Amino acid sequence: MSNGIYLRLGKLILPYWPILLISTISALIYVAFNGLSIWLTASLINNILNDFEQLLVNHRSLSTDFLSINEQLKYWTNELILRDTPKETLKILCLTILFVFIVKNLFLYIKNISLTYIQFNLITEIRNKLYHHFHNLSLSFFDKTRSGELTSIVVTDVSNMRVALGSSFHKVFVEPINILVFIVLLFVINMKLALWAIIIVPLTGSIIFWIGRSIRRKSKRTAKQIAEIMNILTEILNSIRLVKAFGTEDYEKKKFEREQNQYYNLILRRAWLRLTTSPITETIGAIIGVFLLWVGGLDVLVYKTMSSEDFIRFILILFSVLGPIRMLGSVSVKLQKGFASAERVFSILDTPSTIKERPNAKVVDSFNNEIKFNKVSFSYEESEPILSDLSFSIPKGKVIAIVGPSGAGKSTIADLIPRFYDVTSGSIAIDGNDIKDLKIDGFRSMMGIVTQETILLDHTIEFNITYGLKKYSQDILFSAAKAAHALDFINKMPNGFNTIIGEKGVKLSGGQRQRLVIARAIMRNPPILILDEATSALDTKSERIVQQALDILIENRTVLVIAHRLSTVTKADKIIVMDKGKIIEMGTHDELIKHNGLYSNLYNIQFT
């Protein structure tokens, strides 16, 4: 899985290769000038500590001898900075160091701003991909995945990926080059000391690798735990009335505290590992540094095999190499955290939609004959069959009602017609065309759906009624609200159609919410109408008002009515009676009453 993640992250970055190239070149220039700045700083210290006349003598001697790489570099440095007087030499050296630091930091800025541009664009792209993918997934995915977990992935995990895709990802490339440049300079100055110093790299690298693997495992568990916390928050905030009504505040508080404590323990252990990296690498570096100070100091002071200038330069570069190594350690931690989040993000993006539109799907924008169920069976994943071998038709202009006890599969039929789910076997056809062969947006646009659960957005009344419509007139809006028996209460609102109704329409009564949903269906003017328990949650007065609105809505339309209350279906052209996923009776109200079967029993129970 890890190699796959690296490859996929690389593919995400690849389109930004021109900017990445600029950033990489800037990084290489930064590394070169960073090494030069340390080299010149050592020269500054040496020039201050040593006699100027002796410096000139040493420089002249270098010009005549066969030079090693180290001596050649020192010769070029002295050629650049040495002048006739100590003051002029110091002036040139200071200006050169200033110039080198300015150039170094200029390219550091270019590197960082380029990466930031890539970083933010990638995060925006990933979030957009996730959000678009949510819309392509079938309802079955959301049935088994909690909204809090999805929110956590979009917000938290994508933010973690930002670090992995941005500076951290690039530092994995830049810092090793920085370390390599410093190590080469150490070997150029003194091979014996460099061989001792190089021990720090594999030793520190192995520690960082071990800590990084552990952090990655803990980051995955942490991401899952924060998703669980967000699930609890989402569920409780949506069910706060239930909690207060049943007095379960203490239970919910303890439940949240328990999950929060688990999260605390996970992030504490992860922080313990993360914060251990820097002290360990610095301690190892200090041990190696002190040892080399001793060995190098003996070479300078006792054995006279190393010049003081080389020793100063070696020590400065040695301690400079610890910075990139420490940086690499922190980057490894952030990368592992980002990769753990990337696994969760890609797991969502890799989830296929079970509702797929065929490449040659046919566009339909009119309904002429009938909707036909042909031996339709359906079951959710790994569950018992919900529907078994259903065959019936809904002719154009007719009102067809489906009734039966709870669990009979009535609402499932309402979900299959707009293809929220796909049938397990059999087919559903509109005017002889299997809906799997049709453009989804096309045939869904011909349907208006009113369900028991009123789905409204935290926006204005006008926005909710006209949701999904690009063009409409105010006259049509008023007519739809009037036909839905909603205009009176809308006019009484403080801002009329511009009134904000709150999350899920919480500022409205149940009957008012349902009438807005009916007005929304009227605005679409659909030829096919699906009413799924549209009045079952209302009181008698609200039901009567809503039913009057529905009577207006169903005129001259093809209607499928799903109902528990049989009083709402007695005038249907045909009533289908279901039980345990099968059709057991079919006919008009009078025919079914005379048949004295399940429908008759249900009717007698409700009206006796």
Side-chain angles (χ1 to χ4, degrees), residues 5 11 59 103 126 228 259 279 295 381 489 590 599:
I5 287 178
K11 287 181 178 178
H59 179 59
V103 172
I126 291 170
E228 183 64 30
E259 297 295 335
V295 175
E381 295 179 11
F489 82 79
D590 293 336
Y599 179 85

Side-chain angles (χ1 to χ4, degrees), residues 74-364:
K74 287 193 289 185
Y75 176 77
W76 289 338
T77 304
N78 289 334
E79 279 288 298
L80 176 68
I81 62 175
L82 280 179
R83 295 295 183 269
D84 295 333
T85 65
K87 182 179 178 181
E88 284 298 313
T89 300
L90 181 62
K91 176 183 176 182
I92 293 298
L93 182 56
C94 290
L95 290 174
T96 304
I97 291 175
L98 179 62
F99 171 77
V100 168
F101 270 88
I102 290 173
V103 172
K104 179 182 80 168
N105 285 285
L106 174 63
F107 282 98
L108 176 64
Y109 173 77
I110 294 173
K111 173 183 80 75
N112 290 336
I113 198 68
S114 302
L115 286 172
T116 301
Y117 175 83
I118 296 173
Q119 186 178 346
F120 290 151
N121 273 276
L122 282 173
I123 294 312
T124 302
E125 180 184 343
I126 291 170
R127 282 210 173 104
N128 286 338
K129 281 186 175 181
L130 278 171
Y131 188 72
H132 293 168
H133 192 59
F134 288 159
H135 287 280
N136 294 332
L137 292 170
S138 62
L139 289 181
S140 58
F141 171 81
F142 299 99
D143 291 340
K144 60 186 178 183
T145 309
R146 292 180 291 184
S147 58
E149 182 172 359
L150 297 178
T151 304
S152 174
I153 289 173
V154 172
V155 177
T156 307
D157 287 310
V158 174
S159 294
N160 290 339
M161 286 181 67
R162 179 178 63 84
V163 180
L165 291 168
S167 57
S168 298
F169 191 84
H170 202 275
K171 283 174 183 174
V172 172
F173 168 73
V174 173
E175 298 304 342
I177 295 177
N178 214 1
I179 293 170
L180 183 63
V181 168
F182 285 141
I183 289 176
V184 168
L185 289 175
L186 291 177
F187 273 96
V188 166
I189 296 168
N190 191 301
M191 185 173 291
K192 182 184 74 172
L193 291 180
L195 287 172
W196 282 108
I198 204 171
I199 296 173
I200 190 175
V201 176
L203 184 61
T204 306
S206 61
I207 292 172
I208 290 170
F209 177 75
W210 177 81
I211 292 175
R213 285 178 59 186
S214 182
I215 284 178
R216 183 169 180 173
R217 291 192 299 270
K218 287 177 173 56
S219 292
K220 287 181 70 175
R221 292 199 292 268
T222 302
K224 291 180 180 178
Q225 190 62 32
I226 195 65
E228 183 64 30
I229 291 172
M230 294 187 77
N231 280 327
I232 293 174
L233 278 172
T234 303
E235 186 176 55
I236 293 305
L237 291 176
N238 289 331
S239 311
I240 194 67
R241 290 177 182 270
L242 176 69
V243 174
K244 291 184 176 296
F246 284 81
T248 56
E249 290 92 342
D250 289 340
Y251 168 79
E252 296 297 344
K253 289 175 185 176
K254 290 177 181 177
K255 179 181 176 182
F256 183 81
E257 287 175 1
R258 184 168 60 250
E259 297 295 335
Q260 187 65 28
N261 287 336
Q262 290 183 16
Y263 176 68
Y264 164 78
N265 291 329
L266 283 171
I267 60 173
L268 185 64
R269 289 198 293 270
R270 190 178 69 184
W272 179 82
L273 284 170
R274 176 175 56 81
L275 297 173
T276 301
T277 306
S278 182
I280 288 177
T281 54
E282 288 208 16
T283 301
I284 294 173
I287 293 171
I288 300 293
V290 169
F291 174 76
L292 292 176
L293 280 172
W294 170 256
V295 175
L298 290 176
D299 286 344
V300 173
L301 299 174
V302 179
Y303 306 121
K304 308 296 183 181
T305 57
M306 188 179 186
S307 69
S308 58
E309 180 183 2
D310 286 342
F311 182 64
I312 292 170
R313 188 169 281 121
F314 187 93
I315 293 301
L316 284 176
I317 293 174
L318 174 64
F319 282 98
S320 295
V321 81
L322 294 178
I325 290 175
R326 187 171 62 251
M327 183 74 71
L328 206 57
S330 65
V331 166
S332 175
V333 169
K334 293 174 182 177
L335 276 176
Q336 295 303 329
K337 183 179 176 182
F339 291 154
S341 292
E343 288 183 5
R344 286 165 53 81
V345 170
F346 290 140
S347 70
I348 297 297
L349 291 175
D350 291 340
T351 302
S353 174
T354 56
I355 309 298
K356 295 181 179 179
E357 196 173 79
R358 291 172 178 170
N360 57 345
K362 183 179 178 181
V363 179
V364 294

Side-chain angles (χ1 to χ4, degrees), residues 460-477:
T460 65
I461 291 175
E462 180 174 349
F463 180 85
N464 277 278
I465 294 177
T466 60
Y467 183 74
L469 297 177
K470 296 180 180 179
K471 294 182 179 180
Y472 62 91
S473 68
Q474 291 297 307
D475 290 340
I476 294 176
L477 172 64

Side-chain angles (χ1 to χ4, degrees), residues 514-531:
Q514 196 68 294
R515 279 178 272 170
L516 287 190
V517 173
I518 294 170
R520 183 165 62 199
I522 293 173
M523 282 292 293
R524 290 174 66 90
N525 193 27
I528 301 169
L529 186 62
I530 300 173
L531 306 177

Side-chain angles (χ1 to χ4, degrees), residues 578-589:
M578 294 185 61
D579 190 22
K580 297 179 181 178
K582 296 181 179 180
I583 296 175
I584 58 173
E585 293 177 328
M586 191 182 301
T588 64
H589 170 73

